[in-house]
Amino acid sequence: MNGAPDAAKPSLSGRVARHAVSLLLTLLLGGFFGALLLRFGPGFDVDERDLDMRYSAQSREAIHRERAGDRNIFSFYVRYIERAAQGDFGVSRSLAVPVSELIATRAGVTTRLIGLGLAFGWTLGLGFAVASVRWRKPAVIVFSETFCGVALSLPAAVVALLVFLTAGPVSLVIGIAIFPRVFRFARDLFEKALDRPQVLAASARGVAERWIFLRYVVRPAWAPLIALAGVSVSIAFGAAIPVEVICDLPGLGQLAWKAALARDLPVLVSLTLIVTAITLAANAVADVALEAART
Amino acid sequence: MRWLPCLLACQALFAQGELRFNLRHEPKTLNPILAAEDASQAIAYLTGGVLIRVNRLTQELQPELAESWKVAPDNRSIVIHIRKGVRFSDGTPFTAEDVAWTLQTATDPKLHSPAGESFSAKGSPARGQVLGPDAVSIVFAAPVASLERLFDQLPILSSKSPLKEKAALGPFMVASYQPGIEVVLRRNPNYWKKDASGKQLPYLDAVRLPIQQNREIEFARFSRGEIHLINQLEPELFDRLKKANPEAAFDAGPSTDVDFLWFNQVAGASIPDYKKDWFRSRNFRNAISRAINREDLCRVVFRGRGRPAVGPFSPANKFWFNAKLTPSRFDPTAALKLLQQDGFSRKGDVLFDKQGHAVEFSVITNAGNRIRERMAVLIQQDLQAIGVKLNIVTLDFPSLIERITKTFQYESCLLGLTNVDLDPNEMMNIWMSSSEDHGWNPSQKTPATPWEAEIDNLMRAQSAAGERLKRKALFDRVQEILRQEEPYIYLAHRNSLSAVSPSLRGVHPAALFPQTYWDIEHLSLK
């Protein structure tokens, strides 16, 4: 009876292939809709040089003619994808620097920021979840709940401002954005696991509490936590934009903000594709890992 | 040998070192002839060698790479004799050919060089003709008044150097650029200038320019001694610095910047006709102008470090400012009388026009500019006192540009202007009614009003007149008309405020760009 549904399930390689196709399609559509939004947003077809009184009318016309290719968003996107497939992401409209160069010089800053932030947020979230479930002391529970509530209600931009004013470590902001999600999710998982009969049986057998916690609570929770890890990467990316802007960090988030203000189509489309790819890849890895853990 | 320690001590006295100050934006180009915005212009100023320089303190012309020059009586050409024995940073000799080549490159229509744009007359670019290894003639298609001042904005490039535009004639050369992080300039080993004692200039070894947009961070870095200069300091930060470190705070008096408000008078704009009638009325514009308390704007927004504006030029522009004019005096009663002449009447707290429409309009300004946002709020309060409701709309810059230059979907706009060049010729595009830059009503086929026609004629006449005082008289009349008609309601000139580290010597802040480091070659660090 149990054999039939298992046989209908795709293999691991099949799931990987499905994720790859889904990632590619989402990527292409995400990039296109990003470009479309920018194209039809206000201020797309202007240039700051329009206000420079040194330019003659003929020069301004010539400047606008040079950018006429970007007005038809379909042909722009097709050309962009063709070039991107060969590793050429175009040249920034506002900075006149190849987009790949801009991304290469800034990726390190964002990677460090997000990496440290994720490490901090996860350590804090898991630490508080373990403390509040394992010891179940009112003081620990109240403190962790209050801290979690405050962290959840504070926008990343406000925390960034506080960190900047106190000259604190900037990755703290990302950590604070990640922490409440990890804490609540992990705590709920641990609490459910503690209610399982195996825990009661192990306790009756006189197994040490530490071992019960590790074996019956933490071990079954790691698979759903991997799924959350995928989501937390996209949360961290989202928080990186205001953080880098407010704290003046030359990362991809700040580049995205400046590109949005300058209506820089090649940069914005490239960043949309990169962030979408990373987010989808993180989710896909988490998904595949989750499935693998279950089977 | 006894002199060796003394020489070393003297060298230490002119402490070499690295000057550090922030660029507030990413430079859009490192090619000096393409520099258009502040960051690129700062790098161009530090690396580019020019033939003739406008001294930022005296505002007089001074020879640089040009040893001498002579302008033809018809103001259509200039012969320049260049300095001999000068070399670019890579050792390539500087010749008259480089001047002709630079001009040809800068005026290439494909490049859109703002410096090159100024070298056009009647739509044709100026042409350079080499007269010999050390002499070059530059010919314009039509007379250009004060044409020698144009060379202040044209850094000379090498026609022969393999480094192309990276070969510098200025005191520094670009050593490295990390997008989003910093630009580093190193001393040009072949810089041609020496000080009075024969010492090679510049004194500094390098200039490091971190790219940092956030002004609070910039100020914190200055306070920690990480950077040595801040130009165009906000009044609030200036006051903080003045309290904490008075010897580091410099107020060079009124800058050449001006903030102003204007009404949309474009015939085809999508605003109600009755509002267009208001905006086209001189009485209405004068009344709004009189209802705005400029003294308050200067006191509150600029913390007393600004002065009411009367026209496009501030007293910082020593020659062209019309000192006979006085700013519109704050007088709400007089404002209401002017409005009554146009049939406006006040019922309770609301002003109505003769057709019974309540007087209400919006003002757009650029979001994130704290000074303009505060100005808009104060103007809103002032106008409320005469029954006018002002709605403030802040937009990001591309949206704002689109509205004022393309769609004309706005009622009034609050913006500022930075006068880079002191000569009114640079403003031809603003005042000519046929121009796209004629803000309140651009691209007119024929002047919409007699006074705009008069301004057109006066601007053409001053541009063709060779004699400087005659030009001044003609432009004074333009300023008078602008004061009477108020198509732009000029509000205030902010002071040129800067922060200079006490460890930096030789700084004489000026009102003109680049305020603190205009004399970079003579600056040194303790």
Side-chain angles (χ1 to χ4, degrees), chain A residues 1-201:
Chain A
M1 286 293 284
N2 292 336
D6 282 348
K9 273 188 179 174
S11 63
L12 187 64
S13 58
R15 281 198 297 274
V16 171
R18 195 189 62 202
H19 277 299
V21 172
S22 152
L23 189 145
L24 195 67
L25 283 176
T26 315
L27 209 58
L28 287 173
L29 280 174
F32 178 71
F33 284 117
L36 200 67
L37 275 175
L38 192 68
R39 169 64 188 87
F40 293 103
F44 173 77
D45 203 18
V46 297
D47 190 297
E48 279 190 24
R49 287 174 286 185
D50 287 338
L51 286 190
D52 191 329
M53 56 191 164
R54 289 171 294 184
Y55 287 102
S56 65
Q58 293 90 328
S59 294
R60 283 181 198 168
E61 268 174 39
I63 290 168
H64 285 279
R65 264 201 308 276
E66 279 172 12
R67 291 160 52 163
D70 292 358
R71 283 189 203 130
N72 184 332
I73 207 67
F74 293 101
S75 62
F76 162 81
Y77 197 60
V78 169
R79 271 186 285 120
Y80 174 84
I81 293 293
E82 276 172 7
R83 284 202 306 257
Q86 293 159 12
D88 175 10
F89 293 91
V91 175
S92 161
R93 199 167 115 166
S94 58
L95 301 172
V97 176
V99 176
S100 49
E101 198 180 304
L102 282 173
I103 290 171
T105 50
R106 287 164 175 261
V109 175
T110 306
T111 309
R112 240 185 337 271
L113 173 74
I114 288 179
L116 287 172
L118 283 170
F120 175 68
W122 273 84
T123 308
L124 206 66
L126 286 178
F128 272 95
V130 169
S132 59
V133 172
R134 177 106 198 270
W135 293 291
R136 295 181 184 243
K137 290 194 173 160
V140 175
I141 293 169
V142 168
F143 179 74
S144 48
E145 274 295 332
T146 311
F147 187 30
C148 175
V150 170
L152 207 57
S153 57
L154 277 177
V158 175
V159 185
L161 201 61
L162 291 174
V163 167
F164 163 65
L165 291 174
T166 54
V170 179
S171 49
L172 193 79
V173 189
I174 306 287
I176 288 175
I178 299 296
F179 151 73
R181 277 96 177 168
V182 174
F183 166 71
R184 287 206 167 153
F185 190 76
R187 186 202 55 197
D188 291 351
L189 277 177
F190 295 160
E191 277 179 350
K192 271 184 197 161
L194 273 177
D195 290 340
R196 291 164 71 197
Q198 293 95 316
V199 174
L200 197 64

Side-chain angles (χ1 to χ4, degrees), chain B residues 483-518:
Chain B
R483 171 70 186 83
Q484 286 157 11
E485 297 292 337
E486 297 196 288
Y488 287 138
I489 298 176
Y490 290 101
L491 301 169
H493 303 289
R494 61 189 73 184
N495 282 9
S496 177
L497 307 175
S498 47
V500 179
S501 163
S503 66
L504 191 61
R505 293 186 308 188
V507 180
H508 305 286
L512 306 183
F513 172 86
Q515 293 79 3
T516 46
Y517 57 90
W518 62 272

Side-chain angles (χ1 to χ4, degrees), chain B residues 275-511:
Chain B
K275 286 195 179 180
K276 283 181 190 165
D277 290 341
W278 302 348
F279 302 158
R280 285 184 195 137
S281 158
R282 182 170 91 173
N283 279 343
F284 182 83
R285 296 192 300 267
N286 288 164
I288 297 297
S289 177
R290 296 206 77 166
I292 296 172
N293 191 338
R294 289 169 174 76
E295 296 286 350
D296 259 7
L297 289 180
C298 294
R299 188 174 52 78
V300 177
V301 179
F302 297 123
R303 296 180 170 238
R305 301 192 186 279
R307 61 179 286 165
V310 63
F313 286 156
S314 81
N317 192 334
K318 293 176 185 169
F319 183 75
W320 294 102
F321 174 66
N322 186 345
K324 289 180 194 150
L325 301 176
T326 52
S328 187
R329 198 165 48 82
F330 172 60
D331 189 345
T333 314
L336 281 169
K337 275 185 190 161
L338 280 169
L339 289 165
Q340 278 163 8
Q341 287 174 25
D342 275 11
F344 288 87
S345 58
R346 195 171 168 187
K347 291 171 191 157
D349 290 337
V350 182
L351 186 74
F352 293 91
D353 70 3
K354 58 187 170 192
Q355 293 168 311
H357 300 108
V359 179
E360 175 180 354
F361 58 87
S362 61
V363 62
I364 58 171
T365 193
N366 50 326
N369 186 317
R370 286 189 292 191
I371 289 198
R372 286 209 193 102
E373 284 168 358
R374 283 179 198 162
M375 284 179 110
V377 170
L378 286 183
I379 294 169
Q380 187 182 45
Q381 288 169 7
D382 286 341
L383 296 188
Q384 204 174 10
I386 59 164
V388 173
K389 186 177 176 193
L390 180 69
N391 302 309
I392 301 166
V393 180
T394 57
L395 299 168
D396 74 336
F397 216 51
S399 306
L400 185 127
I401 297 175
E402 187 175 63
R403 290 204 188 194
I404 61 175
T405 62
K406 287 186 185 307
T407 63
F408 303 113
Q409 286 177 325
Y410 73 100
E411 292 180 334
S412 69
C413 180
L414 174 63
L415 262 190
L417 177 74
T418 299
N419 288 303
V420 180
D421 193 335
L422 299 172
D423 195 284
N425 260 2
E426 200 63 22
M427 301 183 117
M428 284 293 274
N429 279 350
I430 292 184
W431 307 124
M432 298 302 289
S433 59
S434 57
S435 162
E436 285 182 347
D437 290 327
H438 193 67
W440 63 92
N441 189 7
S443 309
Q444 297 172 31
K445 284 181 184 152
T446 53
T449 59
W451 57 268
E452 282 173 284
E454 191 183 349
I455 290 179
D456 283 359
N457 292 334
L458 287 164
M459 286 305 290
R460 278 195 209 101
Q462 71 78 28
S463 175
E467 212 266 303
R468 211 168 170 224
L469 286 174
K470 192 176 172 193
R471 289 186 64 210
K472 163 83 170 140
L474 293 165
F475 192 68
D476 275 355
R477 175 65 192 140
V478 172
Q479 292 179 78
E480 273 171 35
I481 298 171
L482 292 172
R483 171 70 186 83
Q484 286 157 11
E485 297 292 337
E486 297 196 288
Y488 287 138
I489 298 176
Y490 290 101
L491 301 169
H493 303 289
R494 61 189 73 184
N495 282 9
S496 177
L497 307 175
S498 47
V500 179
S501 163
S503 66
L504 191 61
R505 293 186 308 188
V507 180
H508 305 286

